[in-house]
Amino acid sequence: MASVPIAGGRFIIIGGGSLVGSATAAELLDAGAAEVRLFDNFSMGAESAVAHLKDNPRLRIIRGDVMRMGDLLQAMEGMDGALLLAAYMTLNMDRDPWGGLDVNIRGVQNALEAAVTRGVKKVVFASSNATYGYGPGIKGDLVEATPFFSEGAPPAAIIYGATKIIGEQLCRTYTQKRGLPHVVLRYSTVYGERQHHRAANALYIIETLEKLKKGEPPEIFGDGSETKHFVYVGDLARANRMAFESAASNVAVNCSGPTPVTTKELVALVTDLAGGGPAPTFVGDTPGKVRLTSGGAFRIAHEKAYEAIGWKPQVDMREGLGRLIAWLQGNEPTH
Ligand SMILES: NC(=O)c1ccc[n+]([C@@H]2O[C@H](COP(=O)([O-])OP(=O)(O)OC[C@H]3O[C@@H](n4cnc5c(N)ncnc54)[C@H](O)[C@@H]3O)[C@@H](O)[C@H]2O)c1
């Protein structure tokens, strides 16, 4: 039985000092976890991202590195569940592919090995819709069996997607050969409170808001018909919790928001929620900037997540963007 109850359980979030980790820690603590450990080297995450949780006596922040087995073995002692988040996404992979390959591949292998050694009962692995790739092949419903498209995508995006495919297969290997149950959740672009600047598509929301704040017109690439499919961070925190609670193992499912939006719709929504602003300008590509494009209208189908772990998204973009904007008004985005 692969189910790990939250109440009274002990959990570690590897790479937990950031957007998804902080929301998930709050979710697990609210559901009665006896202990939540946030393990992070804070190379990208920030103490400020977890400051709101710091005084909770059931939360422990552990400075450690996934490239150091000793750190992982010590931190995993006594844990029932481990959520693996530490990763370089596309923008960081573009700057430092060497470090990205280390963390996204060997770091995952190290964490799985430490989890088995310490008798952890279940692992949840944060994968990504990057496992479907980018570019002209991406259109229609993306389901878990959709293959990887890479033609026309930036190299860093392909490398990132490929590392997530490898991470998923390492999880399957540890389930098959070492008996460690796992669930893979393929997140679509995350947005919400404690938003950072590391995800290309979510960064676009922040850039649009910043332009509007300065009274400048938001920029839309192309004709604005390009699709983006986001997921609200609180919905993902719930998905992570439910993946531990469910009996599911050895399965990979998509986690996306209720519906996709076009860039034009997104900019209109952000402008409306920001209290109005100038009409957008339509621009061409910025040289040197990593952009993630798709070939046509697409939707990341999340029905299988409901079958496997009982999850479906609850927060639509208007609601979630409203929460992000309210949070930004009191805080700077965490780098
Ligand atoms: N944010 C998104 O839009 C998005 C979309 C799809 C999938 N994902 C995946 O979800 C996960 C979490 O996303 P996020 O936005 O919270 O990520 P993030 O970049 O904010 O967090 C990753 C954390 O890992 C930590 N880390 C990096 N290298 C480390 C190392 N060597 N040892 C220990 N910790 C290390 C960083 O300091 C950071 O706090 C990642 O695996 C990411 O690939 C994110």
Side-chain angles (χ1 to χ4, degrees), residues 6-290:
I6 308 302
R10 297 180 186 276
F11 297 87
I12 185 162
I13 307 180
I14 305 293
S18 185
L19 175 66
V20 179
S22 60
T24 307
E27 175 83 20
L28 296 174
L29 290 168
D30 285 350
E35 184 181 356
V36 176
R37 296 182 183 169
L38 295 180
F39 177 101
D40 206 297
N41 69 354
F42 291 100
S43 57
M44 301 166 202
E47 299 268 6
S48 61
V50 289
H52 61 301
L53 300 169
K54 234 171 48 198
D55 294 334
N56 190 314
R58 289 175 289 137
L59 184 95
R60 242 182 91 189
I61 296 172
I62 300 176
R63 271 185 187 271
D65 197 303
V66 293
M67 299 312 290
R68 288 202 297 259
M69 247 349 248
D71 290 359
L72 285 166
L73 283 168
Q74 200 175 356
M76 292 248 190
E77 184 120 48
M79 294 294 100
D80 297 306
L83 172 63
L84 310 190
L85 298 177
Y88 280 47
M89 281 181 273
T90 296
L91 298 179
N92 282 328
M93 193 63 85
D94 187 51
R95 289 181 200 117
D96 176 17
W98 193 282
L101 290 173
D102 274 352
V103 171
N104 291 19
I105 298 177
R106 192 69 73 200
V108 172
Q109 197 173 27
N110 286 344
L112 290 166
E113 187 63 33
V116 166
T117 307
R118 289 295 181 227
V120 169
K121 297 180 186 120
K122 189 171 195 174
V123 161
V124 175
F125 175 64
S127 186
S128 166
N129 64 12
T131 53
Y132 304 118
Y134 299 93
I138 299 294
K139 46 181 166 256
D141 260 25
L142 305 183
V143 297
E144 287 75 2
T146 300
F148 185 56
F149 293 99
S150 60
E151 183 72 37
I158 299 174
I159 294 170
Y160 170 59
T163 65
K164 288 293 182 184
I165 292 173
I166 294 172
E168 290 190 7
Q169 300 318 310
L170 288 169
C171 291
R172 291 182 64 212
T173 303
Y174 271 80
T175 298
Q176 287 169 12
K177 297 201 167 157
R178 311 284 294 278
L180 173 65
H182 83 272
V183 169
V184 166
L185 301 180
R186 293 183 184 159
Y187 305 163
S188 66
T189 304
V190 192
Y191 74 101
E193 294 90 339
R194 286 167 284 283
Q195 183 67 55
H196 55 62
H197 279 78
R198 287 185 290 283
N201 280 329
L203 179 58
Y204 181 70
I205 298 177
I206 304 267
E207 286 172 347
T208 301
L209 275 166
E210 281 167 359
K211 287 221 175 264
L212 288 166
K213 217 160 72 183
K214 287 190 257 167
E216 293 171 11
E219 286 182 354
I220 290 181
F221 174 80
D223 65 1
S225 66
E226 206 170 277
T227 313
K228 300 189 188 299
H229 200 161
F230 293 89
V231 63
Y232 174 65
V233 69
D235 273 337
L236 273 191
R238 225 168 23 83
N240 291 330
R241 168 176 61 75
M242 293 171 84
F244 283 119
E245 288 172 326
S246 79
S249 176
N250 210 12
V251 67
V253 297
N254 291 333
C255 290
S256 54
T259 48
V261 287
T262 64
T263 316
K264 223 161 130 178
E265 287 165 350
L266 177 66
V267 168
L269 203 50
V270 173
T271 307
D272 189 32
L273 287 165
T281 50
F282 294 83
V283 298
D285 232 338
T286 314
K289 183 162 178 167
V290 177

